[in-house]
Amino acid sequence: MSKNSSGERVGLYPGTFDPVTLGHTDIIRRGAKLVDRLIIGVTTNPSKDPMFTPEERMEMVRAEVARQGLENVEVRGFNALLMKFAEAQGASVIVRGLRAVADFEYEYQMAGMNQQLNANIETVFLMADVSLQPIASRLVKEIALFGGDIGPFVSAEVREQVNARVERIGRRGEL
């Protein structure tokens, strides 16, 4: 992995983190070991219906990073083309987590497109821990909205925030 002009290896782990899951924190912890500085880029995705605002998601991720004691990790929001944001941050590596074959197909296509935009920034794929592979933010929100226990998938603090949000917006489904 190459270093930027200041001599440090900067990685960027982008995502919506709505909400941040144990799978995300696993990738953050492991990605932080690979670079001098890891930036968690919290972004918006027009195809997703977020439960939390970008500011709330950034604060959630910051709290999780602090609980992990990761001093070389910082959280920043962005609403731009990923490669433009990576260039602006001096990143030489994009960190992406993989859960399953379906993730790989999508991520492989994205990595190819990103390489066309900037061949100097590498994409590194980290496999999620086996016990965390089924976790997806979309499914965590769905479980919470239908009154299920999301405790196995998120930290206790995130669980409280998600459950509070669900109480505010209302549960779905009745037997």
Side-chain angles (χ1 to χ4, degrees), residues 66-82:
R67 277 190 278 284
Q68 296 274 328
L70 301 171
E71 295 182 12
N72 68 327
V73 177
E74 56 192 78
V75 180
R76 296 188 181 164
F78 75 102
N79 188 16
L81 187 64
L82 173 61

Side-chain angles (χ1 to χ4, degrees), residues 17-146:
F17 305 100
D18 184 49
V20 62
T21 68
L22 296 178
H24 291 131
T25 55
D26 176 55
I27 299 297
I28 292 168
R29 181 183 48 76
R30 292 170 44 220
K33 294 177 184 177
L34 301 176
V35 294
D36 299 314
R37 186 166 51 105
L38 181 63
I39 298 167
I40 309 305
V42 178
T43 189
T44 56
N45 184 334
S47 67
K48 294 183 180 181
D49 184 26
M51 180 177 275
F52 296 95
T53 67
E55 294 76 19
E56 289 170 328
R57 290 182 276 129
M58 284 190 292
E59 198 48 49
M60 233 185 277
V61 175
R62 283 187 186 107
E64 293 300 304
V65 167
R67 277 190 278 284
Q68 296 274 328
L70 301 171
E71 295 182 12
N72 68 327
V73 177
E74 56 192 78
V75 180
R76 296 188 181 164
F78 75 102
N79 188 16
L81 187 64
L82 173 61
M83 296 310 278
K84 294 290 184 191
F85 181 67
E87 291 165 3
Q89 303 309 306
S92 60
V93 177
I94 303 293
V95 175
R96 298 299 293 160
L98 295 176
R99 294 173 299 202
V101 172
D103 279 354
F104 180 76
E105 291 174 12
Y106 172 79
E107 294 294 344
Y108 181 78
Q109 183 178 24
M110 290 299 298
M113 293 296 288
N114 287 338
Q115 186 178 35
Q116 294 294 317
L117 294 171
N118 186 331
N120 295 317
I121 300 176
E122 292 292 336
T123 299
V124 174
F125 298 110
L126 297 177
M127 293 298 300
D129 183 275
V130 173
S131 66
L132 304 174
Q133 286 181 3
I135 301 173
S137 292
R138 175 183 53 82
L139 297 175
V140 168
K141 289 186 289 191
E142 189 173 315
I143 291 166
L145 285 166
F146 282 95

Side-chain angles (χ1 to χ4, degrees), residues 152-170:
F153 315 118
V154 297
S155 70
E157 294 80 5
V158 170
R159 182 181 66 223
E160 288 175 21
Q161 290 177 283
V162 171
N163 287 338
R165 181 60 45 96
V166 167
E167 288 301 316
R168 201 169 89 212
I169 63 177

